[in-house]
Amino acid sequence: MHGTNIFLVGLMGAGKTTAGKLLAKHLHKTFYDSDHEIERRTGVNIPLIFDIEGEAGFRSRERAVINDLSQKSDIVLATGGGAVLSPENRENLKTRGIVIYLRASVEDLWQRTRHDRNRPLLQTNDPRAKLAQLFEQRDPLYREIADITTDTSKQSAQSLIHDLEEKLKHFDKTLCKP
Ligand code: S3P
């Protein structure tokens, strides 16, 4: 496990950042969050990037950050929910680490994001319907690259981490490092 990267994927509100920080601490790895890295590099927040450059501009920054971070070693990376839309990101994540899909129901995702103003894609009249649509579109993409899929709905962060650590222990993936 030493040196191995762990990449967390899943929709907004799945708990990638929370789980990622805890997992990194438990496994003594360095934690990164692709959205935070984009904000650090640009000096502005995600909604402003969407405002000025549109989703396409944001996605291109996201690709660059994921390409850079996934080349590190011994990290846990929480990716933005839309990272899997790019075939390049999917390939980089799949080949440079173990991919964990944090899967949650649309209802839970909605409960966890409903008061949030930091996610431009959910600033619509019906964010719940938007989440349902994103789930339908992206669930197959998360599944396509996931080595481990875990349901986050019914467990606390602590039990989720315990479950993931158990699954990771038995994991034996030959990593094709670039
Ligand atoms: C997005 C998810 C967000 C962020 C951006 C777009 C998406 O990250 O990257 O608002 O397309 O699902 P989180 O999944 O961390 O909320």
Side-chain angles (χ1 to χ4, degrees), residues 12 16 35 46 58-59 62 80-82 119-121 138:
M12 296 175 268
K16 292 163 293 188
D35 286 339
I46 306 285
F58 171 78
R59 295 294 173 212
E62 186 176 50
R119 290 167 165 124
L121 294 180
R138 295 176 181 175

Side-chain angles (χ1 to χ4, degrees), residues 6-10 23 98-102 146-148 150 164 168:
I6 295 173
F7 304 131
L8 298 175
V9 302
L23 202 56
I98 298 173
V99 180
I100 298 176
Y101 172 21
L102 298 186
D147 297 299
I148 294 169
T150 192
L164 287 177
L168 285 165

